[in-house]
């Protein structure tokens, strides 16, 4: 395994270990996501006929909000404990630090999304078992984690950090959101592989582009 | 670059830095040779921490050349980081990991072999061996600061940068810090420390400077200096 | 470029721009034929299109200048990017407003999720965020770096946003189909006036851009002065 990859994994493992010890990210974000779902259910009162239309929307809105909270917490904690500064003092490349952080956010987000999907499927009585749906979860979350990690690193150093992150994040990931909702609704309607349409490739392009750009930009954001 | 400049622990020429509200460092020059320990005084906001952060590659200069441990920062920043140990204001440690876990983690990032053994050895050096398995969150302030020093010397850097490392330390920890500084004032190594405590600075360091007006001047010795 | 030369150029642009705009207004309101279907409201089109096109040009400038700044870190790139961002936000705001002014009498609605209007709205959001991040950064030097990152990331995202909104709208068409999307039904006279309007706004754009950029340069120079010492001479070149 190359040195770079080992470093990224060491960084990710550190975050996972910290999370296992303090449990302050996954559980709280999961709870928040569930509350968002509840709020939507009460506000929209979906009838069984409306479920195919509304379920994807509720799902992805709660994912976006939960995801935003997740990346924000990832950096707030680092900053509080001075961990990020310590990392920057080591010879480790900024790319590796970025990828380590983005990878852990990605993993944690997937876990939260998995649970929220199961809960919503229970509440609204639909079957979440679709390969395309899972592929969408994977690709869209990758995009959220990549862009979210970069903007969170930036926002955490600004004055209005809770506002700054959504203001930066939401407009940029809108295409991913739109695409994810479309594919999800088609997948839930049972369209199989055709549900992917042009959307999954678009999200794939988004991910590929930002996986290249964001690590580079992270270096500029980190130094004073 | 002549042999002379690449031989210095720190070689800075014409360093300028501004954050957009007026220059903090203005064309600053500094040479620290191997074997020196330098104490830097200066008022709050004079730019001591800024200078230190630039030397630690945390901040980027607006103008000037900076060479640290023979590496030119604009090109070889990562190599420089491997040769420098920093004790800064923040803890730089993870509260929910144990002392040893913190050191093992950083040791891996520095690419050190036998991280466990080294971690334990450094903890012993800093009188923290009994705390090896305790989480940082549970340590006293003095112990946390000693762990920060342990982290800084873990990879055996040639140059040590200390930003007010002595502040808030109890007498036991202060004594340990003094031995570390003395250990780094050997021909192959160097130390640069910023401090508000002029007495301490003059006692511990081989040379003292004052940062004011964005530049360095030699520091005045304190009036009651009868021991020399 | 040198400050004095910039002044001269600026004044030249003001004169030219003013003249062009007078001619443009005359052409748009008195010469252009009234649209058979839409009536006089259609004249908004001669403003809406140049505003939208030039806002896009402005954001392209932001992209290039942001890349330049991140690569070279010279303040000039930052001043240019900042100016382009400000002018771009003004232009895109006006583009949105003229879009709304069109929509109400023509379609009976204030807003429609038509692809171009929607993309314009998202552009507006991205570049407002660009300006916000400068304002909320811990210091101006950091603000310049953060903004440059947003300038690059935002622009790269624009084509993706455009396509996704297009495809989304084709699946969920809005109740009205917009003549904004059509380029076909233009008489030669209308096209000529549209191009002239585009030229007029281009001159206006360049003037505002240079003005804001030089203002940022002066502001930066002022902030850099030591309040206790004597001021350094303003760089003549």
């Amino acid at each position: 395994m190359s040195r770079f990859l080992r470093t990224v994994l060491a960084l990710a493992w550190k975050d996972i270990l910290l999370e296992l010890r303090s449990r302050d990210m996954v559980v709280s974000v999961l709870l928040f996501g569930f509350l968002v779902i509840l709020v939507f259910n009460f506000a929209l009162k979906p009838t069984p006929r409306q479920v195919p239309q509304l379920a994807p929307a509720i799902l992805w809105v709660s994912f976006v909000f939960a995801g935003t909270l997740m990346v924000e917490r990832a950096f707030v904690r680092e900053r509080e404990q001075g961990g990020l500064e310590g990392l920057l003092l080591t010879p480790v490349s900024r790319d590796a630090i970025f990828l380590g952080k983005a990878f852990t956010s990605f993993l944690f987000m997937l876990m939260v999304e998995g649970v929220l999907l199961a809960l919503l499927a229970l509440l609204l009585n639909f079957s979440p078992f679709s390969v395309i749906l899972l592929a969408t979860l994977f690709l869209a979350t990758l995009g959220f984690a990549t862009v979210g990690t970069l903007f969170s690193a930036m926002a955490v150093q600004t004055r209005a950090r809770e506002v700054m992150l959504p203001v930066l994040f939401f407009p940029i990931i809108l295409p991913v959101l739109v695409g994810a909702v479309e594919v999800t609704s088609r997948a839930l309607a049972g369209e199989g592989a055709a549900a992917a349409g042009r959307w999954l490739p678009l999200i794939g392009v988004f991910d590929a582009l930002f996986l290249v750009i964001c690590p580079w930009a992270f270096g500029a954001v980190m130094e004073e | 670059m002549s042999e002379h400049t690449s031989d210095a622990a720190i070689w800075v020429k014409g360093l300028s830095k501004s954050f957009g509200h007026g220059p903090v460092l203005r064309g600053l020059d500094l040479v620290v040779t191997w074997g020196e320990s330098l104490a830097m005084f200066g008022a709050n906001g004079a730019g001591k921490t800024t200078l230190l952060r630039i030397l630690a590659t945390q901040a980027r200069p607006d103008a000037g050349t900076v060479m640290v441990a023979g590496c030119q920062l604009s090109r070889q920043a990562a190599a420089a980081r491997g040769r420098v140990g920093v004790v800064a204001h923040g803890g730089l440690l993870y509260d929910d990991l144990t002392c040893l876990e913190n050191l093992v983690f950083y040791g891996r990032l520095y690419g050190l072999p036998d991280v466990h053994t080294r971690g334990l050895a450094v903890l012993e050096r800093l009188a923290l061996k009994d705390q090896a398995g305790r989480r940082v969150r549970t340590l006293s302030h003095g112990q946390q600061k000693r762990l920060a020093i342990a982290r800084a010397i873990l990879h055996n850097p040639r140059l040590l940068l200390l930003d007010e490392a002595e502040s808030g330390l109890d007498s036991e920890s202060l004594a340990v810090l003094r031995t570390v500084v003395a250990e780094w004032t050997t021909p192959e190594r160097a130390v640069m420390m910023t401090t508000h405590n002029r007495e301490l600075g003059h006692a511990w360091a081989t040379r003292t400077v004052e940062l004011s007006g964005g530049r360095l001047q030699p520091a005045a010795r304190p009036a009651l200096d009868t021991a020399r | 470029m040198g400050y004095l030369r910039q002044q001269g150029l600026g004044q030249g642009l003001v004169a030219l721009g003013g003249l062009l705009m007078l001619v443009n207004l005359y052409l748009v309101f008195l010469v252009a034929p009234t649209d058979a279907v839409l009536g006089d409201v259609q004249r908004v089109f001669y403003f809406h299109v140049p505003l939208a096109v030039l806002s896009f040009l402005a954001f392209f400038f932001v992209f290039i200048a942001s890349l330049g700044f991140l690569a070279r870190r010279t303040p000039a790139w930052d001043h240019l990017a900042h100016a382009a961002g400000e002018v771009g936000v003004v232009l895109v705001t006006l583009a949105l407003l003229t879009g709304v002014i069109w929509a109400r009498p023509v379609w009976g609605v204030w807003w429609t999720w038509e692809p171009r209007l929607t993309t314009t709205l998202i552009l507006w959001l991205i570049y407002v965020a660009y300006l916000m991040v400068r304002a909320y950064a811990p210091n101006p030097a950091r603000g310049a770096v953060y903004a440059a990152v947003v300038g690059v990331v935002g622009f790269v995202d624009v084509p993706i946003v455009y396509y996704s909104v297009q495809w989304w709208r084709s699946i969920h068409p809005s109740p009205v189909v917009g003549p904004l999307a059509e380029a076909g039904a233009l008489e030669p006279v209308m096209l000529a006036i549209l191009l002239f309007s585009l030229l007029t706004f281009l001159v206006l754009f360049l003037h505002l851009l240079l003005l804001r950029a030089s203002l940022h340069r002066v502001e930066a120079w002022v902030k850099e002065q030591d309040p206790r010492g004597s001021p350094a001479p303003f760089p003549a070149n």
Side-chain angles (χ1 to χ4, degrees):
Chain A
M1 249 202 296
S2 80
R3 178 118 191 256
F4 184 82
L5 202 54
R6 262 187 287 141
T7 310
V8 172
L9 289 175
L11 288 165
W13 175 244
K14 178 262 299 173
D15 276 330
I16 294 173
L17 197 57
L18 281 172
E19 182 56 27
L20 285 173
R21 297 252 173 103
S22 63
R23 283 180 298 277
D24 62 3
M25 267 170 55
V26 175
V27 173
S28 52
V29 173
L30 183 57
L31 198 56
F32 177 72
F34 186 57
L35 288 170
V36 172
I37 287 182
L38 278 185
V39 166
F40 268 108
N41 269 287
F42 281 111
L44 294 171
K45 302 183 287 251
T47 64
R49 261 194 327 143
Q50 290 170 317
V51 165
Q53 245 185 328
L54 294 179
I58 298 174
L59 200 64
W60 284 100
V61 170
S62 67
F63 287 174
V64 166
F65 282 128
T68 307
L69 190 62
M70 181 74 76
V71 290
E72 193 204 354
R73 299 200 63 131
F75 274 101
V76 167
R77 180 172 65 185
E78 279 282 356
R79 194 169 158 77
E80 276 167 4
Q81 297 191 11
L84 194 57
E85 214 184 306
L87 290 178
L88 293 170
L89 285 170
T90 65
V92 169
S93 77
R94 276 56 182 133
D95 290 6
I97 297 176
F98 175 82
L99 287 173
K101 265 273 164 266
F103 181 58
T104 27
S105 292
F106 172 66
L107 274 180
F108 292 163
M109 267 199 241
L110 275 183
M111 284 195 268
V112 167
E113 288 171 1
V115 175
L116 289 178
L117 175 63
L119 286 174
L120 191 66
L122 274 174
L123 284 176
L124 295 183
N125 272 304
F126 65 86
S127 165
F129 299 114
S130 152
V131 174
I132 290 290
L133 179 54
L134 293 175
T136 310
L137 229 71
F138 185 90
L139 285 175
T141 308
L142 188 57
F144 289 168
T146 310
V147 175
T149 301
L150 174 68
F151 285 148
S152 180
M154 216 189 287
V156 89
Q157 298 178 57
T158 62
R159 283 205 302 277
R161 97 163 62 116
E162 289 86 12
V163 168
M164 212 54 238
L165 178 56
V167 165
L168 287 167
F169 185 58
F170 290 170
I172 301 286
I173 53 106
L174 260 155
V176 175
L177 176 66
V178 165
V181 170
E182 283 304 322
V183 178
T184 304
S185 66
R186 286 198 243 175
L188 290 182
E191 276 185 42
R198 297 176 288 187
W199 295 105
L200 279 191
L202 184 70
I203 298 178
V205 166
F206 182 95
D207 289 349
L209 264 176
F210 287 113
L211 271 170
V212 169
I213 295 178
C214 291
W216 167 75
F218 183 75
V221 169
M222 279 298 108
E223 65 182 8
E224 271 186 32
Chain B
M1 275 296 136
S2 71
E3 278 309 304
H4 171 71
T5 53
S6 64
D7 232 14
I10 300 175
W11 193 91
V12 175
K13 191 126 185 79
L15 174 60
S16 295
K17 178 70 180 169
S18 157
F19 292 104
H21 298 301
V24 174
L25 302 174
R26 309 153 195 254
L28 184 146
D29 299 330
L30 173 65
V31 177
V32 175
T33 56
W34 296 114
E36 268 197 284
S37 56
L38 180 76
M40 181 177 302
F41 311 124
N44 279 329
K48 304 193 297 294
T49 302
T50 304
L51 175 58
L52 210 88
R53 291 176 69 82
I54 292 177
L55 293 174
T57 76
Q58 300 306 88
R60 180 196 265 251
D62 292 336
T65 317
V66 183
M67 291 189 68
V68 171
C71 302
Q72 188 161 9
L73 290 193
S74 53
R75 285 200 293 259
Q76 305 163 287
R81 280 179 223 131
R83 303 180 191 181
V84 172
V86 180
V87 178
H89 282 301
L92 309 184
L93 298 163
Y94 293 100
D95 283 346
D96 290 308
L97 294 182
T98 67
C99 295
L100 188 58
E101 279 170 350
N102 264 289
L103 292 183
V104 164
F105 171 67
Y106 277 111
R108 291 216 176 96
L109 295 185
Y110 280 104
L112 300 176
D114 303 322
V115 272
H116 274 270
T117 331
R118 276 186 96 123
L120 285 169
V122 164
L123 284 175
E124 171 135 27
R125 170 88 188 67
L126 271 292
L128 283 172
K129 192 157 159 224
D130 297 332
Q131 272 70 37
R134 287 181 57 191
R135 296 197 192 169
V136 172
R137 199 184 280 280
T138 63
L139 297 180
S140 71
H141 180 67
Q143 288 169 328
Q144 284 178 0
K145 290 220 84 170
R146 267 187 279 152
L147 185 60
I149 299 168
R151 198 202 72 92
I153 63 174
L154 179 69
H155 56 294
N156 213 1
R158 284 190 77 186
L159 174 64
L160 209 53
L161 297 175
L162 308 173
D163 197 2
E164 299 187 29
E166 79 291 342
S167 70
L169 287 186
D170 53 45
S171 51
E172 183 198 349
S173 309
L174 210 57
V176 171
L177 179 61
R178 185 165 192 174
T179 59
V180 170
V181 171
E183 225 179 278
W184 253 261
T185 317
T186 53
E188 287 303 303
R189 295 166 162 175
V191 184
M192 186 176 117
M193 42 187 283
T194 66
T195 178
H196 277 297
N197 188 335
R198 284 170 192 260
E199 232 179 77
L200 185 142
H202 282 292
W204 290 14
T206 60
R207 199 175 94 177
T208 57
V209 288
E210 177 101 28
L211 179 59
S212 89
R215 288 210 186 86
L216 292 172
Q217 298 125 18
R221 303 212 139 243
L224 299 160
D225 195 20
T226 53
R228 281 169 212 278
Chain C
M1 67 175 62
Y3 182 66
L4 291 173
R5 272 187 67 206
Q6 219 172 37
Q7 292 284 71
L9 180 64
Q11 282 165 354
L13 279 175
V14 172
L16 180 62
L19 192 62
L20 282 175
M21 189 54 90
L22 284 173
V23 174
N24 191 36
L25 289 173
Y26 170 73
L27 286 174
V28 167
F29 286 106
L30 295 172
V31 172
T34 312
D35 184 87
V37 176
L38 298 166
D40 277 319
V41 166
Q42 186 268 346
R43 294 176 200 269
V44 172
F45 169 77
Y46 296 108
F47 297 104
H48 175 84
V49 173
L51 285 169
V53 168
L54 286 169
S55 72
F56 192 81
L57 181 66
F59 298 144
F60 180 67
F61 273 43
V62 172
F63 176 62
I64 298 295
S66 295
L67 281 175
F69 179 70
L70 286 173
R72 295 262 166 266
R73 304 293 169 113
T74 43
W77 283 119
D78 179 48
H79 300 322
L80 181 62
H82 196 174
E86 291 173 320
V87 177
V89 168
V90 169
L91 290 175
V92 80
T93 309
L94 290 174
L96 280 174
L97 287 175
T98 49
V100 166
I101 291 173
W102 170 298
R104 186 75 179 106
V106 171
W107 296 324
V109 292
W110 287 108
W111 180 262
T112 171
W113 292 105
E114 186 265 338
R116 292 215 184 134
L117 269 179
T118 310
T119 309
T120 311
L121 181 63
I122 297 177
L123 268 182
W124 185 86
L125 285 170
I126 295 177
Y127 289 96
V128 163
Y130 173 84
L131 294 179
M132 263 183 87
V133 92
R134 275 184 194 271
Y136 285 111
N139 57 64
R142 297 267 74 213
V145 173
Y146 295 168
V149 167
V150 175
V152 171
V153 168
F155 193 78
V156 167
D157 200 37
V158 167
I160 303 180
V161 169
Y162 181 70
Y163 281 114
S164 63
V165 172
Q166 283 259 335
W167 298 346
W168 178 62
R169 261 294 147 235
S170 68
I171 305 169
H172 311 279
S174 44
V176 294
V177 175
L180 273 174
E182 292 170 18
L186 277 181
E187 289 177 29
V189 176
M190 292 170 132
L191 183 60
I193 297 179
L194 179 64
L195 289 175
F196 186 84
S197 191
L198 192 59
L199 176 67
T200 307
F201 276 98
L202 179 64
V203 170
L204 180 67
F205 166 71
L206 288 174
H207 163 64
L208 285 173
L209 185 68
L210 283 176
L211 193 64
R212 284 308 292 177
S214 71
L215 252 162
H216 285 308
R217 199 159 148 236
V218 174
E219 259 180 24
W221 175 80
V222 168
K223 281 193 188 153
E224 282 296 310
Q225 296 315 300
D226 181 359
R228 287 161 299 166
S230 54
F234 187 76
N237 213 22

